[in-house]
Amino acid sequence: MIRASIIVHGGAGKYSEDLRIPREQGAKVAALEAWRILVNGGSAVDAVETAVAVLEDDPVFNAGRGAVLNADCQVELDASIMDGRTLRAGAVGAVKHLRNPVRLARRIMEQGRHVLLVGAGAERFAAAVGIPTCSSEELITERQLQRWWQERRADLEAMGTVGAAAFDQQGHVAAATSTGGMAQKHPGRVGDSALVGCGTYAEDGRGAVSCTGHGEPIIRVTLARATVDRLEAGLDPMRAAQEAIADLARKVKGEGGLILVDGQGRIGCAHNTPAMTAATVDAATGIPRLLP
Ligand code: GLY
């Protein structure tokens, strides 16, 4: 049997029933794409980048095309990726003209000079390394435009962030996360998904985590890193995920969820929201399945 694992999420929150099946399908497709990379000996970094890019391309998720809109009715995207083998990381914040922010995060990680680039500077870097930009309009869907008009007075809400964590056949781990952030957020707001240790963390021998939910509380407890610390203490991965989410609620009244692989490739996930879309691939059969 292949000794590798993948887990992906399409966000924690409360979803309308009409999106449930497309979201579940989308998560399974992303998990399967990443699994094919792992089965063929590819790296955990390649697997999580691909899974997240597939989810960014699917407009039912709050990432890439289909992301929620800020208070100015604009898309501002955050993403990050981390390689557990080297502890290198790359991240982007508040970018407006990229279909796949996770791919730019990867290039920033590989270039190695910086970890986080934001806004126009990040997009200038994208142009310099040959990552195509697009118009903001290409990223805005009719669904999100309608929602923006309905929600102008509504509380901030974030649903449908995407992420992945993987363990490859060489025993390395990686994680990646991508989001449009909170609906109606202040322009320039950057959330946990762009912040290493908060929305994303990966370290070989310990584990890899991608978080979802309301970003500000997640930042305050550095949720991804705090979860990996629990794994190092030897906790079962499901229990580590549950305890980390319980801490998020207890310490800062946070709402969200997370997925993880531990240092041996075992998966875990937990959320304290009404729902979280998450999928993995069964190593024995190669068939994707949803997680509770
Ligand atoms: N977790 C996504 C955000 O708050 O930006």
Side-chain angles (χ1 to χ4, degrees):
M1 191 166 74
I2 303 286
R3 192 169 164 265
S5 51
I6 179 73
I7 179 166
V8 309
H9 71 77
K14 185 167 178 254
Y15 302 108
S16 54
E17 187 54 25
D18 63 316
L19 284 186
R20 186 175 59 80
I21 289 176
R23 296 171 58 81
E24 291 175 354
Q25 274 303 113
K28 286 200 275 189
V29 167
L32 198 52
E33 289 274 326
W35 179 249
R36 288 196 182 114
I37 290 170
L38 295 169
V39 166
N40 289 315
S43 70
V45 172
D46 283 342
V48 296
E49 180 191 3
T50 296
V52 168
V54 167
L55 294 163
E56 286 174 338
D57 288 340
D58 188 334
V60 301
F61 298 105
N62 175 18
R65 183 165 176 275
V68 299
L69 304 176
N70 70 12
D72 285 350
C73 199
Q74 291 185 331
V75 165
E76 285 188 327
L77 306 173
D78 300 339
S80 59
I81 188 165
M82 186 161 184
D83 182 349
R85 186 174 65 88
T86 58
L87 296 186
R88 282 189 164 207
V92 296
V95 292
K96 297 181 181 177
H97 304 101
L98 287 167
R99 283 183 170 269
N100 294 115
V102 72
R103 297 212 187 278
L104 179 56
R106 169 116 190 228
R107 295 301 288 270
I108 293 167
M109 175 172 80
E110 281 173 348
Q111 201 232 20
R113 184 168 170 220
H114 302 298
V115 170
L116 170 62
L117 294 177
V118 301
E123 291 176 2
R124 213 164 85 195
F125 181 89
V129 296
I131 292 184
T133 52
C134 64
S135 71
S136 263
E137 289 68 35
E138 283 176 61
L139 301 174
I140 297 175
T141 56
E142 188 55 37
R143 175 186 280 272
Q144 292 298 352
L145 258 186
Q146 281 179 11
R147 199 180 147 188
W148 188 82
W149 284 105
Q150 284 159 10
E151 286 182 345
R152 287 183 72 184
R153 289 173 205 284
D155 285 341
L156 295 180
E157 192 182 357
M159 299 186 298
T161 292
V162 305
F167 176 88
D168 65 28
Q169 294 192 65
Q170 293 73 44
H172 303 305
V173 297
T177 310
S178 182
T179 191
M182 312 291 290
Q184 302 288 339
K185 66 187 177 182
H186 194 287
R189 179 262 191 190
V190 172
D192 62 295
S193 306
L195 302 181
V196 171
C198 300
T200 303
Y201 190 75
E203 190 172 340
D204 273 12
R206 301 179 74 206
V209 176
S210 171
C211 301
T212 165
H214 187 179
E216 280 72 9
I218 291 173
I219 293 168
R220 291 185 188 117
V221 297
T222 58
L223 184 61
R225 172 65 197 249
T227 308
V228 167
D229 287 347
R230 285 177 187 279
L231 290 171
E232 190 170 42
L235 276 188
D236 167 85
M238 281 292 181
R239 178 128 178 255
Q242 285 158 1
E243 287 193 5
I245 290 296
D247 246 16
L248 174 73
R250 186 175 56 80
K251 289 183 176 164
V252 291
K253 296 188 170 50
E255 291 186 0
L258 62 84
I259 56 168
L260 63 84
V261 293
D262 74 2
Q264 302 153 56
R266 298 177 301 171
I267 60 167
C269 62
H271 59 94
N272 64 359
T273 49
M276 179 170 82
T277 312
T280 187
V281 175
D282 189 79
T285 61
I287 295 173
R289 68 180 165 88
L290 297 170
L291 291 158

